[in-house]
Amino acid sequence: MEQFSLFKNSKEPETEQTVSETPSNSPIAHSPSPVTCLSFDIEATGRNPISDSIVGIALCKEKGKAYYVPIRHAHGTNIPDALNILKEVLEDESIPKVGHNLKYDILILRQEGIHVKGRLYDTMLASYLLNPNKPDHSLENVCLEYLFYKKRPFTEVLGKRHSFSEVPIDDATQYAAEDAELAMELKDILFEKLKKEGLEDLYFNMEMPLIYVLTDMEEIGVRINKERLEELSKELDRELGIIESMIYAIAGESFNINSPQQLQKILFEKLGLKPLKKTKTGYSTGVDVLEELSKTHQLPAEMLNYRTLYKLKTTYVDALPKLIDKKTGRIHSSFNQTVTATGRLSSSEPNLQNIPIRGEWGTKIREVFIADKGCILISADYSQIELRILAHISGDKGLIDAFSKDIDIHTRTATELFNIPKESVTEEMRRIAKTVNFGVVYGISPFGLSEALNITPKEAATYIEQYFNKHDGVKNYMDDAVKMARENGYVRTLMGRKRPIPEINSHNTNIRQQAERLAINTPIQGTAADLIKIAMINIWQRLKEGNLKTRMILQIHDELLFEVPETELEPAKKLITHEMENALSLSAPLKVDIGWGKNWAEAH
DNA sequence: GCCGTCACG
DNA sequence: ACGTACGTGACGGCA
């Protein structure tokens, strides 16, 4: 799979270029050889690929001919040796595999000891690359859009039955075989469109290989200290009980603390506190408001405390143990590849990309994520990845200079904003500069910055003006990104990933300005997403080639977490750092911070 | 099923 | 006059 190296050092960075018009900075290696493809679709008992078992497999080699192979139907003829026969075909590296959401099928097959190999054509991922704004890339929807065909929905075939295995064999065959055939039909149509849009490089060399990386991550999962979570739950119970009675005492009555509606009545009617912000449905009781009100009253202060602990208890401490898989004893999150508009992954059931990190409870919860016996966790995260990417795509001299010298970027920005030497930068100034740097990446506006810093929009505008004075490259990038979006109706990342921005010419100022911020932010956030995907594929490949036992287990946007045998610690650290820092060659160097320990808190 | 809220990058 | 920072997922309340 040498094509992955194409992403590496493929071309000298073009500092003049702002938003890449041409889709990619790497040449197309070769179109895949049109060997006979096999389209397949797995029918299984449920929705959880790690534990569910297979019911049947649909196969299609050419349009008009599709088959259904019943494996474990409740009634009728099953074909006992089918899996063994199919294993050979599915594991044949020379036969490309076509399917819709292949990660799911591959995971189910792993349960049966079948390790799918070979080139992949996933029609769901094709649909995603063609338009990542779409909320639904189900086979139903993709068929509707590209084949103008309304598929019979799965729920209708299932009826009131509990499992696909109970569906009468004729119905099951009809349904399953059609799925396999539709994927085969979609493959050619979508591939042509990908080519036309300049997306086939991303498709074949990034999203398809990533499927194998993500299936491994999902299959391996992460180990959790269940007993410790149960202790933490009791501890939180006690604390919450105390705070709860305190809140009732201060309020002078008991009410449902978790109801924002009831809290509003207490705060703004009974206690007569000033409502500071509105929501669609009433007065806001969010963090910003409660923090402000805390200055004058004890109730909002206690509410903040309560909300923090309640959130941690319900969303993490109590939820995680329920998701430990009975077979593996570990937690197997889903890494979703077709959700975000920017190209990032998302994680669900559970979301392991938003595990708490801040505060004492953040540490306590991260300590629960532990390495297996004889193993260590390695955490490797990109330092300032988005600002480094901004430096590259904008070609801003000041930013590139700062990163080339590995200068603390927020302190550097503070010296520029306040016109002072770095020795004079205070904590407060650095905090402001940090917020400005974040704002720049988001498509800064005086109002947004003023909200974030709790200052007036006028003061915020002064900071922004001062920032652009020192960074005209960044200013030019922003103007170009918006211009590009207006002319084309979309923006692209450095690797050519597309995101349509249909609202860019809206007559509604708010909508249009929001679209402009997307045009600015998406190439940055999206390029960071592309970059870490390249690193993941290369690391996965090298671990495999080197027969290492080190396993990638989580991706958190700019961080990768690995479970590493103690004996592999040194080589793994070296390999990971090298592949992450050299995933792409940018005009601002990439920097990776690496840490390790027995649990995630220690590793970070 | 939507809303507000809040955990993360 | 309005109302905005970018990207997610999960929880409880409420209609």
Side-chain angles (χ1 to χ4, degrees):
Chain A
M1 294 217 211
E2 67 288 345
Q3 70 265 28
F4 306 144
S5 59
L6 286 172
F7 283 133
K8 282 200 274 185
N9 311 318
S10 52
K11 198 171 166 187
E12 282 309 299
E14 296 178 12
T15 45
E16 294 301 309
Q17 196 179 356
T18 50
V19 181
S20 58
E21 164 61 56
T22 45
S24 166
N25 70 353
S26 66
I28 305 306
H30 51 267
S31 291
S33 49
V35 206
T36 319
C37 286
L38 177 71
S39 172
F40 71 103
D41 185 40
I42 304 293
E43 306 300 336
T45 47
R47 299 255 124 238
N48 177 3
I50 297 297
S51 295
D52 286 332
S53 85
I54 194 165
V55 173
I57 308 182
L59 302 162
C60 171
K61 265 174 87 173
E62 54 187 297
K63 285 174 211 167
K65 270 191 206 164
Y67 305 87
Y68 179 64
V69 183
I71 312 269
R72 279 177 209 145
H73 264 272
H75 317 284
T77 51
N78 288 322
I79 307 175
D81 291 335
L83 276 178
N84 279 327
I85 298 162
L86 289 170
K87 184 179 166 81
E88 257 183 62
V89 186
L90 291 165
E91 293 187 347
D92 187 332
E93 199 136 358
S94 69
I95 303 174
K97 315 296 186 306
V98 178
H100 195 85
N101 192 11
L102 283 168
K103 175 156 66 67
Y104 174 81
D105 300 308
I106 293 171
L107 275 168
I108 293 279
L109 287 167
R110 292 260 179 100
Q111 300 296 308
E112 309 293 334
I114 295 173
H115 289 75
V116 175
K117 294 189 186 77
R119 179 178 287 280
L120 304 178
Y121 290 82
D122 191 320
T123 49
M124 187 163 92
L125 279 155
S127 163
Y128 173 66
L129 278 181
L130 288 169
N131 188 356
N133 288 330
K134 284 209 158 358
D136 183 353
H137 298 279
S138 63
L139 185 57
E140 284 81 354
N141 261 320
V142 178
C143 284
L144 205 56
E145 174 163 5
Y146 294 100
L147 302 176
F148 312 104
Y149 174 67
K150 200 161 160 54
K151 214 173 81 74
R152 193 165 161 221
F154 178 76
T155 47
E156 194 191 297
V157 177
L158 195 63
K160 282 174 185 163
R161 300 174 194 91
H162 297 294
S163 161
F164 192 79
S165 65
E166 291 158 24
V167 174
I169 195 77
D170 286 352
D171 270 8
T173 301
Q174 186 89 41
Y175 176 82
E178 183 182 72
D179 271 12
E181 195 181 339
L182 286 170
M184 189 62 112
E185 234 180 294
L186 281 169
K187 188 208 90 180
D188 294 324
I189 293 171
L190 296 180
F191 180 53
E192 278 312 304
K193 291 197 186 286
L194 286 170
K195 234 160 70 176
K196 227 162 95 188
E197 305 264 22
L199 292 165
E200 78 274 45
D201 191 21
L202 274 174
Y203 183 69
F204 286 115
N205 298 330
M206 188 179 289
E207 302 298 357
M208 291 307 108
L210 192 65
I211 293 174
Y212 286 122
V213 180
L214 298 180
T215 49
D216 277 2
M217 284 168 60
E218 293 188 12
E219 187 184 15
I220 296 157
V222 53
R223 189 176 170 201
I224 296 285
N225 184 343
K226 193 179 175 187
E227 292 71 33
R228 179 64 183 145
L229 274 178
E230 280 156 10
E231 282 173 29
L232 292 180
S233 180
K234 282 177 198 154
E235 210 177 307
L236 283 168
D237 246 345
R238 284 193 294 274
E239 288 228 25
L240 282 166
I242 295 167
I243 303 168
E244 194 182 337
S245 7
M246 241 155 77
I247 288 173
Y248 296 154
I250 301 166
E253 65 182 289
S254 52
F255 61 102
N256 188 341
I257 305 188
N258 297 317
S259 162
Q261 210 179 82
Q262 293 185 37
L263 179 63
Q264 281 171 51
K265 285 206 181 92
I266 301 281
L267 288 176
F268 307 124
E269 289 175 27
K270 185 164 181 184
L271 299 177
L273 294 169
K274 267 206 192 79
L276 301 169
K277 217 160 95 185
K278 274 189 193 166
T279 65
K280 284 179 197 169
T281 53
Y283 295 124
S284 168
T285 67
V287 190
D288 290 350
V289 172
L290 292 184
E291 266 173 5
E292 186 59 33
L293 295 176
S294 295
K295 294 173 183 167
T296 55
H297 203 279
Q298 204 197 340
L299 184 62
E302 293 303 333
M303 271 307 302
L304 281 169
N305 200 0
Y306 179 89
R307 285 233 180 111
T308 305
L309 298 183
Y310 190 81
K311 177 82 165 190
L312 298 181
K313 184 172 193 301
T314 54
T315 308
Y316 306 100
V317 175
D318 288 347
L320 289 174
K322 295 178 194 157
L323 290 159
I324 296 175
D325 188 274
K326 285 202 182 73
K327 276 189 195 152
T328 66
R330 293 164 68 104
I331 290 188
H332 304 267
S333 171
S334 292
F335 288 96
N336 314 304
Q337 209 177 344
T338 59
V339 170
T340 73
T342 56
R344 275 186 172 184
L345 299 176
S346 88
S347 158
S348 57
E349 283 179 295
N351 182 352
L352 294 183
Q353 291 180 323
N354 73 347
I355 299 301
I357 185 168
R358 292 153 202 163
E360 70 176 298
W361 280 96
T363 306
K364 283 182 184 181
I365 292 173
R366 289 220 168 190
E367 281 168 354
V368 165
F369 290 76
I370 53 176
D372 204 354
K373 252 208 200 105
C375 287
I376 290 183
L377 295 181
I378 292 183
S379 159
D381 65 284
Y382 281 112
S383 162
Q384 304 297 347
I385 186 65
E386 295 196 336
L387 285 173
R388 285 169 197 262
I389 284 165
L390 175 63
H392 177 85
I393 63 181
S394 71
D396 186 86
K397 297 259 180 349
L399 277 184
I400 293 173
D401 177 67
F403 285 123
S404 301
K405 296 174 180 158
D406 200 20
I407 289 168
D408 179 315
I409 194 65
H410 302 317
T411 304
R412 165 63 72 95
T413 302
T415 67
E416 294 162 348
L417 291 181
F418 298 100
N419 267 319
I420 51 168
K422 67 172 187 292
E423 293 76 24
S424 312
V425 173
T426 63
E427 290 272 313
E428 173 67 359
M429 291 169 174
R430 190 176 180 280
R431 186 186 65 86
I432 291 168
K434 188 174 174 180
T435 309
V436 170
N437 279 333
F438 269 105
V440 167
V441 171
Y442 293 153
I444 204 159
S445 74
F447 199 91
L449 185 63
S450 72
E451 288 279 293
L453 283 174
N454 252 322
I455 57 177
T456 65
K458 214 168 189 176
E459 290 168 314
T462 315
Y463 285 132
I464 295 170
E465 196 185 331
Q466 182 68 2
Y467 182 90
F468 286 143
N469 272 338
K470 301 287 168 91
H471 294 282
D472 56 327
V474 173
K475 175 76 182 132
N476 286 335
Y477 159 71
M478 292 183 155
D479 295 342
D480 287 353
V482 171
K483 197 173 147 216
M484 196 82 67
R486 271 194 208 122
E487 285 168 6
N488 302 325
Y490 63 82
V491 291
R492 285 187 191 266
T493 66
L494 197 61
M495 306 304 297
R497 184 186 301 276
K498 254 179 96 166
R499 176 181 184 179
I501 316 265
E503 320 283 25
I504 195 72
N505 291 314
S506 167
H507 295 296
N508 179 319
T509 313
N510 290 332
I511 304 273
R512 191 178 60 252
Q513 284 174 347
Q514 190 186 352
E516 289 170 358
R517 291 195 296 273
L518 298 186
I520 292 164
N521 174 263
T522 298
I524 304 171
Q525 188 182 123
T527 300
D530 293 346
L531 177 65
I532 198 167
K533 282 179 175 176
I534 295 169
M536 290 167 76
I537 293 163
N538 290 338
I539 291 169
W540 182 86
Q541 188 67 24
R542 280 199 55 195
L543 288 173
K544 200 169 172 146
E545 282 164 6
N547 278 320
L548 293 167
K549 296 267 185 326
T550 294
R551 295 289 177 258
M552 200 183 301
I553 56 176
L554 296 180
Q555 188 251 44
I556 312 98
H557 310 306
D558 64 353
E559 173 188 1
L560 295 175
L561 192 72
F562 298 85
E563 193 170 53
V564 185
E566 280 161 9
T567 51
E568 281 181 16
L569 182 59
E570 288 309 317
K573 270 158 58 183
K574 214 174 139 192
L575 187 157
I576 292 161
T577 309
H578 181 267
E579 291 304 331
M580 285 177 78
E581 290 187 342
N582 295 284
L584 278 180
S585 169
L586 303 183
S587 42
L590 296 175
K591 190 185 165 196
V592 167
D593 294 322
I594 197 157
W596 58 94
K598 290 306 281 181
N599 61 61
W600 197 0
E602 251 182 62
H604 213 282

